[in-house]
Amino acid sequence: MASDLAICIDSDDEEQAPNGLLCQLLLPQPKSESRRAVGDVSIVQVQSSGQTELSISWAEDEDGRVTVPTRVVSHMTVNSATIVLKLQEPMSWKVSPEDGLLEDFALVPKETELPSVLSTLRWWLPHVVVQGELPQQLGVDPVVLRYEGISLTARDIELLADEQCLNDSVLDFFLKLAVDTVAPEHLKGDLYVASTFFFQKLTSGGVENGEAGWQNVRRWTRALPGGLLGQRFVVIPINEQNIHWWLAVICHARRALEPDGETMLGEAPRIVCLDSAIEPLLKGRVVAFLRGYLWKEWCERHPNATAFDEDKVAGQLNLKALAADVPKQANSFDCGIFIIEYLLHLLRSKTALAGLGLAAHKHWFGQASVSHRRKRLKWLATLLQSQAQRFGETDVRRLLQDPRLRAAVVLALTDHPKKASPSTAPKLKRPSEAASERKKKPRSST
């Protein structure tokens, strides 16, 4: 029976990188859930223009070849003898005239070769989450913690170690935990933190703008009163090219669509970008998609609006984009920890959300605080894991009914690195004192 749990294949015992694979390739049928067989293909891992790719070549056609950047592969689902690779960026393969943009493709290895093919793909795609039904020969990393539908495996928790990049599961887990345990009660009803998959899904399927992408996520916020427009603050994690995380915070979106008189500066509708990169990428595409999504969301929630009303609202959609002057990372791997720390600061501060993007924020914290938080998150995950094992309960919400554990969680999410004690700090000496000591010190004999 196939499992819904996210699992990882243990390939740590491999001694060398595999050479290549031979499988049958299946592509989705246009406007259908079925797949059609393209033929046998050989797959190798190659380096091109500074990035790693999977090169897929047709066995019976010397000119038939496509390349898939490994960074765009997000999930691998195993169903019987079929391996489906999910792409976070739709691609045009042009295998036949009817093929459009493809969001996934499937490989069918020989039954006896399934374990070795899966191990090879895991070697090539270490960042990919593997789901489904695995052969017994392969090691499995089971889920050790669950929180509000988010699962963490032991391998996920290892990403909290030094010099590791966080994946979507770790980010979703701790962003949700932060809101539930640190946010003041009055803020919880005004703030919504979207899943790390929200923007990815919004932009999937080859859509060209946020209005078209709305259809992809139309059910995601049904449980929210008034949808995203009913929230004063919407926090959206954004992943750039599968290598960098940053936060988009939408402030007072409803005011951009339904102005109700004079607006104070702190209540101005805006999209604020919090990016820890020293040289961040341009945010125009992301902002445009979010604006389009919000406009379409308003139109769908006002079905009786006339065409004139919709044109009026579209003209009023004045959501300014602001790049916040926030603390920057001093390395290439802490971007995920930074967005957790950004959110924690916004939740604790009485003024940060009101002034977000309207003043300098570099004073919030430094790299030392982020490095400290990584260690504390690692400690916290280990603590929760030990409690889960002790009580035979992986549901963190149930574990948090223990007030002592809940207090430990809050402390791990809010404390600061200890400052060096004055007694342990090196004492600086005056030049005259240092010279005097050198005169008193006997010379060594030769």
Side-chain angles (χ1 to χ4, degrees):
M1 179 179 296
S3 170
D4 291 330
L5 305 185
I7 50 184
C8 296
I9 303 171
D10 185 359
S11 60
D12 294 338
D13 295 332
E14 299 281 355
E15 296 183 355
Q16 59 182 3
N19 295 321
L21 302 175
L22 182 63
C23 301
Q24 186 182 45
L25 175 66
L26 305 181
L27 297 182
Q29 292 274 29
K31 300 180 180 180
S32 172
E33 296 183 359
S34 62
R35 299 179 183 275
R36 61 184 177 87
V38 176
D40 292 335
V41 294
S42 61
I43 309 169
V44 295
Q45 185 187 50
V46 298
Q47 295 288 332
S48 176
S49 302
Q51 70 175 355
T52 305
E53 298 177 335
L54 298 182
S55 177
I56 304 175
S57 302
W58 275 250
E60 299 179 357
D61 184 357
E62 295 181 357
D63 297 325
R65 187 175 72 90
V66 295
T67 57
V68 179
T70 56
R71 64 174 177 78
V72 307
V73 183
S74 61
H75 287 71
M76 182 161 55
T77 302
V78 185
N79 183 11
S80 185
T82 303
I83 305 169
V84 179
L85 298 176
K86 176 71 175 178
L87 306 178
Q88 67 173 2
E89 297 178 12
M91 297 181 60
S92 175
W93 286 33
K94 299 179 181 179
V95 177
S96 62
E98 66 271 15
D99 286 330
L101 292 173
L102 301 182
E103 295 187 3
D104 61 55
F105 63 96
L107 302 174
V108 183
K110 293 181 179 179
E111 184 176 354
T112 57
E113 296 178 356
L114 178 61
S116 62
V117 169
L118 285 171
S119 293
T120 300
L121 290 173
R122 184 65 183 126
W123 182 289
W124 288 342
L125 307 167
H127 63 283
V128 168
V129 174
V130 184
Q131 299 173 315
E133 195 175 319
L134 290 184
Q136 294 182 353
Q137 301 97 309
L138 296 176
V140 173
D141 193 11
V143 170
V144 295
L145 295 173
R146 302 178 189 276
Y147 191 60
E148 299 295 322
I150 306 163
S151 299
L152 280 192
T153 68
R155 189 180 292 269
D156 291 328
I157 293 175
E158 290 175 3
L159 297 178
L160 292 167
D162 291 340
E163 300 186 11
Q164 298 293 316
C165 296
L166 303 191
N167 64 10
D168 41 51
S169 297
V170 177
L171 279 175
D172 281 332
F173 183 91
F174 282 106
L175 292 175
K176 177 65 176 174
L177 188 64
V179 172
D180 289 349
T181 59
V182 176
E185 288 300 322
H186 72 272
L187 183 59
K188 290 182 180 179
D190 290 334
L191 180 141
Y192 174 75
V193 179
S195 162
T196 53
F197 288 108
F198 178 83
F199 188 77
Q200 176 183 325
K201 186 64 176 177
L202 175 68
T203 57
S204 66
V207 296
E208 296 182 354
N209 51 54
E211 293 94 318
W214 177 90
Q215 191 71 19
N216 294 335
V217 293
R218 65 188 185 281
R219 297 188 181 94
W220 285 46
T221 59
R222 281 187 172 181
L224 290 176
L228 288 189
L229 293 175
Q231 310 297 305
R232 292 173 61 199
F233 305 101
V234 179
V235 179
I236 304 178
I238 307 291
N239 185 273
E240 293 279 6
Q241 301 177 0
N242 207 28
I243 58 174
H244 181 68
W245 293 100
W246 59 276
L247 280 185
V249 182
I250 305 174
C251 305
H252 308 287
R254 186 180 292 279
R255 290 182 176 273
L257 296 157
E258 302 173 9
D260 55 358
E262 187 175 352
T263 300
M264 298 179 62
L265 181 61
E267 297 178 346
R270 58 197 185 275
I271 299 176
V272 186
C273 304
L274 286 70
D275 194 333
S276 61
I278 298 295
E279 297 181 357
L281 298 176
L282 297 177
K283 303 297 190 286
R285 174 179 176 272
V286 173
V287 170
F289 261 90
L290 294 177
R291 285 176 179 150
Y293 165 82
L294 292 170
W295 176 79
K296 181 66 174 178
E297 178 78 358
W298 186 92
C299 292
E300 291 296 326
R301 291 183 177 273
H302 295 78
N304 297 325
T306 64
F308 172 78
D309 291 331
E310 292 186 5
D311 289 341
K312 181 180 178 181
V313 170
Q316 292 173 342
L317 186 53
N318 184 24
L319 271 171
K320 293 184 178 180
L322 301 174
D325 185 18
V326 290
K328 301 294 185 177
Q329 63 191 86
N331 52 52
S332 61
F333 47 80
D334 269 340
C335 55
I337 305 292
F338 263 85
I339 70 171
I340 294 174
E341 196 69 10
Y342 288 152
L343 179 64
L344 287 170
H345 184 86
L346 293 173
L347 297 178
R348 297 192 306 253
S349 172
K350 295 181 179 180
T351 60
L353 276 171
L356 189 60
L358 305 175
H361 306 313
K362 284 190 175 180
H363 64 280
W364 282 0
F365 53 83
Q367 177 66 52
S369 295
V370 173
S371 299
H372 168 77
R373 190 68 59 216
R374 177 185 283 274
K375 294 178 181 179
R376 295 294 276 150
L377 294 179
K378 175 69 171 177
W379 175 88
L380 179 54
T382 303
L383 173 65
L384 292 173
Q385 187 177 359
S386 68
Q387 292 296 100
Q389 293 172 346
R390 177 184 176 187
F391 296 105
E393 176 61 76
T394 60
D395 188 344
V396 174
R397 181 167 290 281
R398 293 184 179 179
L399 294 175
L400 290 179
Q401 292 176 1
D402 180 347
R404 293 174 299 177
L405 179 61
R406 189 176 187 88
V409 169
V410 173
L411 181 61
L413 292 174
T414 58
D415 63 1
H416 301 284
K418 293 181 180 180
K419 296 182 179 180
S421 172
S423 61
T424 60
K427 183 179 179 181
L428 298 179
K429 299 177 180 179
R430 296 178 181 177
S432 58
E433 294 177 345
S436 176
E437 287 190 3
R438 285 196 298 269
K439 291 181 180 179
K440 294 178 181 179
K441 184 176 181 181
R443 295 182 180 181
S444 58
S445 58
T446 58

